[in-house]
């Protein structure tokens, strides 16, 4: 029992502590449970605040998270990220239970404090505005709404322009809206300039201003959408406006006669006739204004008809003059009926038709016949007495002015100050010259007004005399005063400019050509009807010499060009043409010329027999033309030219495209010869002359123009180089050394040149046929079948175009040692160079890539890029790279995979208007993708590749082509006019919207038709659509709503599309009993061939109205059961054939199918049967890919 005492003492000692341990253990467990609950609540609060923060950021694009919220979230993350609290406490052990509870209690208080501080964030906003971000957001919104507003403005302007015809004015509501838009865009431009000047400027006031402006633009867009469809109203003053007209001179009697006829009752149709420029229109304008004031007629209508007359346009003009509109798609017959009703409402009216060239029936136009009962009158002005007679008009002739009237008109136009010259004596001389000038105008008001206008304000006698001399001597020979041919050209252009400025000539085709207005031509011929006499019978399709040619004793110039005259009779020998200086017989069908023709033409200087293709010989009498300076024999069948030794005055000799086989005898004796054409022609054969003796060329020391290309004539550099007057040279040097010698001998005087080096150029060479002359390029050097590397090739520094053909040692253009000196190089044509690997090794320090405008590359088997691959990887193209490039044409470069190796190049391709890639079997991509384009995951940025001037895109025979550009890019080509995509079965996407400028779409041998989403305006300008061998397309147009925008379409061709089921798709909303009219007003041709799955052209609840349709071609469309063509109805509600329809072609073996075809009217088939014709399958046009397997 001795152990009991100690045991009790031990229990006393340990028991107290054990009880305390149990007490603290229970407290620890309670604290631990409380800690875990608090931790869970903190997790929940953190998730709640993060969700709220994310939602607020989503709804507020320019906000950021408040700093205190970010601090709190970071504190929570750090607390949670610490070592597990329970593990930390347990590490103290069981004997430290008190300490563990204390620690856990402390951690719980920390957690609760964090949780409580987060309570505020559950109620308050967690984000705040970021001024910089808000500024950038508002700038972007401003730009977006500016673009939308500009688009809306463009749509409204386009619609308004189409509605603003004569008699209509803009609605005030529309005018105000357009004014507001203009003001708004100016304000936005000012804001953008301010931002551009200081991009970091983002004050609150500016941010608020930005917000206000994009909201205002949004409102304006909505207002623009609410504008009515009709943007114009009738102009009350348009139908009663007086014509602006000059004072009437010398025609008061004619004017009085016309007024008497129109005011009286006996005459209802009046024809005012006279030669062009005599004043008919001016007289009638005075009559119009007078009758308009007097109010005798309810309406006075003026319409200018002009030479290009057609009934449709005349109907349109008359209706417009009445302030009315006619439907474009309706036939002229229907329009005539409607126009007649319009005119009946205006009776009695006066209708003046100015400048009528051909007679017509009034009822065809819709003009009710004028008569006494309806009180209407009609006046026409014409140059032809026959036109006035055939239309049953009372005829009044307008004659030329008398001498007194002409002088009065001239003085009125030239001004009185011209004669008031100080110094005495001079005034009298000036008056004498003035009267001579007026006499030269021969009483024609147009001539008088034109010449007087050019002299207005001029008082110097010498200038008046110069004008008189020009009128008296139309030749104006300035050649002798000029030092170079370029100076002569410049002087000629200056003369043309002066003639244009004085309205004697008119510019056409952007200034490339000029034409003489028919009034001016009539005036000139009228003036020259007497000595010096000109006889002009050009372009009249004459088959024999006209009688008037037999009476030309005093003629100086005779033109019979552009006829079909086959012979000059032996009885007619021009025996009395002793004054004749110019005889133009080009472009006829002469095969021989009688020996006596040139016997008595001692003054003849210019003889043109060009383009008489069958002319095989010349008469010996041509050698008697000792004053002849110009002899033109181009494109004749001459095999030999008689001796030229007697033609010592000859300056120009053209033997281009003849069949001569030797140099004409006596050529070296033509000491005055300045221009020699001894070459082949575009008809396809070279001149068969092997050489020109050195002595012959050296004797022609005055040669300024030597054209001996397209021939076998090998030239020597030292011989041609000694022709010091040479300015234009086309010829062939057999070696590069000969060209080097020529360039060293020849001073830098050459203007135009085409120099061939190496092998002979032949016209039937496929490369040479494709050598274009884009952009007026006239300085060309071609290397053909010769070595380049190591030859120290030299060419003129002024070179504009470089051709390289079959030079197999060249790897790039840098193999030409002087290529960097060619700072004017604009065109490169490279063909069949087997060693060519790239065109430009680098884009750095390379002037050619800055200036080149046209690249034509064909059959370069090793070409793998325009630039070396390593330069693409190492650097970006410098500014200006390809900035001048206009056309890229690539043919049969079988190794080429990417055309433009970096889309960064497109930033500089702002001049590019044509891309053509054909027969490149490994071509995968037109515009290469960049590695950087992928962006971050989820990024949805689309790159815009802008080619503002691109007009033509042709991709043909590219089986490996996968894309035109990356799927993360779109092309913006607002000038695109033609798209041809053929035999590119790997292509799945067209990366651009078809712009309104589009004229032609040709898709061939594809697996789809139109996968790209189509906007309503997609085809608004489209004229021709051709689809062939597109296997995947079941509907050509997915919706008939698109037809409303096909108002310019003239031709639809669809053939060999095996899955095509419908041409114009149906809409789900088309139910009900209403028949939809699909109107194609300009469609002329509908061709459907080899479409076995085709079951309908359009829905059964639709008909097609095609009043311009001329031809229908249908073959192998046996599933087609209905032709939905709506025929026009006549008065008895019976159908009639479309007036323009000429033929319906079907296969003869498909007559049974044709007879089973349903039409909209039961009688339609019988009506159209006379137009049915037959063809066989050999007639069916092939697709381009079938016509040729390779280029």
């Amino acid at each position: 029992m001795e152990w009991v005492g100690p045991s009790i003492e031990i229990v006393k000692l340990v028991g107290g502590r054990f009880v305390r341990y149990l007490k603290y253990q229970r407290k620890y467990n309670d604290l631990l449970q409380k800690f875990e609950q608090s931790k869970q609540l903190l997790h929940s609060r953190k998730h709640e605040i993060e969700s709220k923060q994310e939602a607020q950021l989503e709804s507020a694009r320019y906000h950021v998270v408040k700093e205190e919220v970010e601090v709190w979230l970071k504190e929570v993350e750090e607390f949670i990220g610490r070592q597990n609290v329970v593990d930390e406490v347990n590490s103290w052990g069981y004997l430290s239970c008190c300490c563990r509870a204390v620690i856990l209690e402390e951690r719980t208080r920390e957690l609760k404090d964090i949780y409580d501080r987060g309570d505020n964030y559950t109620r308050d906003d967690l984000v705040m505005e970021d001024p910089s971000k808000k500024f950038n957001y508002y700038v972007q919104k401003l730009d977006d709404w500016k673009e939308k507003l500009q688009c809306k403005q463009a749509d409204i302007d386009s619609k308004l322009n189409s509605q603003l015809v004569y008699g209509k004015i803009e609605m005030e509501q529309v005018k105000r809206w357009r004014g507001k838009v203009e003001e708004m865009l100016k304000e936005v431009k000012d804001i953008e300039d301010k931002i551009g000047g200081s991009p970091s400027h983002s004050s609150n006031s500016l941010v608020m201003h930005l917000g206000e402006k994009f909201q205002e633009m949004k409102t304006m867009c909505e207002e623009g959408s609410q504008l009515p469809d009709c943007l114009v109203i009738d102009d009350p003053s348009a139908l009663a406006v007086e014509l602006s007209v000059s004072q009437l001179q010398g025609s008061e009697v004619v004017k009085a006669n016309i007024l008497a006829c129109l005011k009286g009752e006996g005459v209802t149709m009046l024809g005012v006739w006279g030669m062009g420029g005599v004043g008919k229109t001016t007289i009638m304008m005075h009559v119009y204004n007078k009758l308009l004031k007097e109010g005798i007629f309810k309406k006075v209508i003026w319409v200018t008809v002009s030479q290009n007359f057609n009934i449709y346009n005349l109907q349109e003009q008359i209706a417009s003059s009445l302030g009315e509109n006619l439907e474009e798609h309706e036939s002229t017959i229907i329009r005539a009926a409607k126009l007649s009703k319009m005119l009946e409402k205006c009776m009695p009216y006066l209708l003046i038709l100015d400048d009528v060239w051909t007679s017509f029936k009034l009822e065809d136009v819709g003009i009710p016949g004028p008569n006494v009962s309806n009180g209407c009158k009609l006046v026409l002005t014409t140059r032809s007495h026959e036109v006035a007679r055939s239309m049953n008009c009372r005829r009044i002739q307008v004659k030329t002015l008398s001498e007194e009237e002409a002088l009065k008109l001239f003085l009125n136009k030239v001004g009185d100050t011209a004669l008031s010259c100080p110094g005495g004596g001079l005034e009298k001389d000036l008056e004498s010259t003035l009267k001579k000038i007026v006499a030269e105008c021969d009483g024609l008001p147009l001539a008088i007004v034109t010449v007087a206008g050019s002299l207005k304000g001029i008082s110097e006698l010498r200038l008046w005399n110069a004008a008189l001399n020009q009128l008296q001597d139309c030749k104006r020979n300035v050649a002798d005063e000029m030092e170079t041919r370029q100076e002569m050209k410049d002087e000629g252009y200056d003369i043309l400019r002066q003639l244009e400025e004085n309205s004697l000539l008119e510019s056409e085709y952007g200034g490339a050509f000029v034409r003489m207005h028919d009034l001016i031509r009539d005036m000139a011929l009228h003036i020259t009807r007497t000595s010096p006499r000109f006889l002009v019978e050009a372009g009249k399709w004459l088959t024999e010499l006209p009688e008037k040619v037999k009476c030309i004793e005093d003629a100086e110039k005779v033109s019979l060009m552009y006829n079909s005259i086959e012979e000059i009779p032996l009885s007619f020998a021009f025996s009395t043409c002793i004054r004749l200086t110019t005889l133009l017989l080009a472009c006829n069908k002469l095969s021989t010329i009688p020996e006596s023709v040139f016997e008595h033409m001692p003054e003849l200087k210019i003889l043109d027999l060009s383009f008489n293709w069958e002319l095989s010989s010349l008469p010996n009498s041509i050698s008697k033309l000792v004053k002849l300076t110009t002899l033109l024999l181009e494109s004749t069948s001459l095999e030999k030219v008689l001796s030229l030794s007697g033609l010592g005055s000859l300056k120009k000799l053209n033997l281009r495209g003849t069949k001569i086989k030797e140099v004409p005898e006596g050529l070296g004796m033509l000491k005055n010869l300045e221009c020699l054409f001894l070459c082949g022609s575009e008809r396809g054969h070279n001149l068969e002359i092997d050489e020109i003796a050195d002595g012959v060329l050296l004797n022609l020391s005055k040669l300024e123009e030597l054209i001996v290309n397209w021939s076998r004539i090998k030239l020597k550099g030292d011989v041609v180089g000694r022709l010091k007057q040479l300015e234009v040279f086309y010829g062939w040097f057999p070696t590069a050394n000969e060209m080097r010698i020529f360039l060293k001998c020849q001073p830098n005087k050459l203007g135009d040149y085409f120099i061939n080096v190496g092998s002979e150029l032949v016209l039937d060479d496929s490369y040479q046929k494709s050598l274009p002359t884009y952009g007026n390029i006239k300085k060309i050097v071609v290397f053909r079948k010769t070595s380049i590397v190591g030859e120290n090739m030299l060419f003129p520094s002024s070179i504009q175009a470089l051709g390289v053909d079959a030079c197999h040692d060249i790897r790039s253009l840098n193999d030409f040692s002087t290529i960097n000196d060619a700072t004017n190089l604009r065109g490169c044509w490279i063909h069949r160079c087997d060693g060519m690997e790239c065109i430009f090794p680098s884009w750095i320090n390379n002037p050619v890539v800055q200036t080149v405008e046209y690249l034509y590359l064909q059959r370069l088997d090793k070409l793998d890029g325009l630039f070396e691959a390593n330069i693409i990887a190492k650097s970006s193209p410098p500014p200006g790279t390809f900035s001048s490039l206009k056309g890229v044409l690539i043919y049969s470069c079988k190794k080429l995979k990417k055309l433009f190796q970096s889309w960064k190049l497109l930033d500089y391709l702002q001049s590019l208007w044509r891309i053509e890639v054909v027969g490149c079997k490994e071509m995968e991509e037109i515009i290469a993708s960049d590695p950087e384009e992928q962006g971050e995951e989820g990024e949805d940025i689309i790159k815009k590749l802008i080619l503002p001037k691109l007009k033509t895109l042709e991709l043909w025979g590219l089986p490996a082509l996968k894309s035109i550009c990356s799927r993360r890019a779109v092309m913006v080509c607002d000038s695109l006019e033609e798209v041809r995509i053929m035999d590119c079965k790997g292509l799945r996407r067209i990366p651009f919207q078809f712009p309104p400028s589009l004229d032609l779409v040709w898709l061939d041998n594809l697996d789809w038709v139109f996968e790209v989403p189509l906007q309503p305006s997609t085809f608004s300008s489209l004229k021709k659509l051709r689809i062939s061998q597109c296997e995947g397309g079941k509907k050509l147009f997915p919706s008939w709503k698109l037809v409303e925008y096909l108002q310019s379409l003239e031709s639809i061709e669809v053939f060999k599309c095996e899955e095509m089921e419908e041409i114009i798709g149906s809409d789900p909303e088309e139910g009900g009993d209403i028949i939809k009219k699909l109107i194609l007003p300009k469609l002329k041709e509908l061709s459907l061939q080899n479409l076995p799955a085709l079951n309908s052209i359009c829905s059964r609840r639709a008909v097609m109205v095609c009043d311009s349709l001329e031809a229908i071609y249908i073959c192998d469309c046996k599933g087609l059961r209905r032709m939905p063509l709506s025929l026009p109805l006549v008065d008895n509600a019976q159908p009639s054939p479309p007036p323009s329809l000429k033929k319906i072609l079907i296969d003869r073996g498909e007559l049974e199918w044709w007879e089973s075809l349903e039409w909209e009217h039961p009688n339609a088939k019988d009506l159209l049967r006379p137009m049915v014709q037959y063809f066989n399958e050999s007639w069916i046009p092939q697709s381009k890919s079938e016509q040729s397997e390779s280029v």
Side-chain angles (χ1 to χ4, degrees), residues 51-86:
S51 298
K52 182 179 178 182
Q53 167 192 307
E54 184 176 345
Q56 290 183 356
L57 284 175
E58 181 68 21
S59 62
R61 296 176 183 268
Y62 44 82
H63 286 57
V64 292
V65 180
K66 289 181 178 178
E67 185 176 358
E68 60 265 33
V69 177
E70 289 185 322
V71 170
W72 184 84
L73 289 171
K74 185 176 180 181
E75 188 176 354
V76 172
E77 287 291 337
E78 288 176 353
F79 185 89
I80 295 174
R82 289 182 190 171
Q83 180 184 2
N84 190 288
V85 173
V86 177

Side-chain angles (χ1 to χ4, degrees), residues 886-1021:
K886 296 178 181 178
V888 181
L889 295 90
I890 314 291
Y891 285 80
S892 299
C893 296
K894 58 185 181 183
K895 191 178 177 183
L896 192 63
K897 294 185 177 182
K898 300 178 189 296
L899 177 55
F900 297 113
Q901 294 148 286
S902 168
W903 72 8
K904 295 177 182 177
L905 282 169
L906 268 71
D907 292 338
Y908 308 110
L909 291 171
Q910 301 303 291
S911 299
L912 188 66
W913 66 269
R914 182 180 185 88
I915 297 176
E916 189 171 325
V917 187
V918 179
C920 300
K921 302 300 181 183
E922 295 187 20
M923 180 67 69
E924 297 176 354
E925 204 169 17
I926 303 302
I927 303 167
S929 308
D930 277 8
E932 307 167 6
E933 76 177 74
Q934 302 301 326
E936 299 179 2
E937 185 177 354
E939 188 177 0
D940 198 27
I941 297 175
I942 299 296
K943 174 75 174 176
K944 283 188 178 181
L945 308 178
I946 301 174
L947 295 173
K949 295 184 179 179
L950 187 67
K951 293 183 178 181
T952 301
L953 175 65
E954 180 165 340
L955 308 175
W956 169 30
L958 311 177
L961 186 67
K962 297 177 182 178
S963 65
I964 295 175
C965 65
S966 162
R967 283 195 169 272
R968 300 188 65 79
V970 295
M971 294 173 64
V972 181
C973 311
D974 290 338
S975 300
L976 198 62
E977 294 177 359
E978 296 184 6
V979 175
R980 293 179 175 90
I981 302 177
M982 297 162 279
D983 198 12
C984 302
K985 288 200 169 184
L987 185 64
R988 305 306 307 170
R989 172 177 174 258
I990 297 180
F992 49 77
Q993 280 289 345
F994 295 132
S997 57
L998 193 66
D999 177 77
L1000 169 67
V1001 174
W1002 185 352
L1003 306 179
D1004 179 276
N1005 201 16
L1006 305 175
D1007 289 338
W1008 48 271
V1009 181
F1010 293 122
E1011 289 189 357
V1012 62
L1014 299 177
Q1015 298 298 320
S1017 61
T1018 297
F1019 298 116
S1020 60
S1021 299

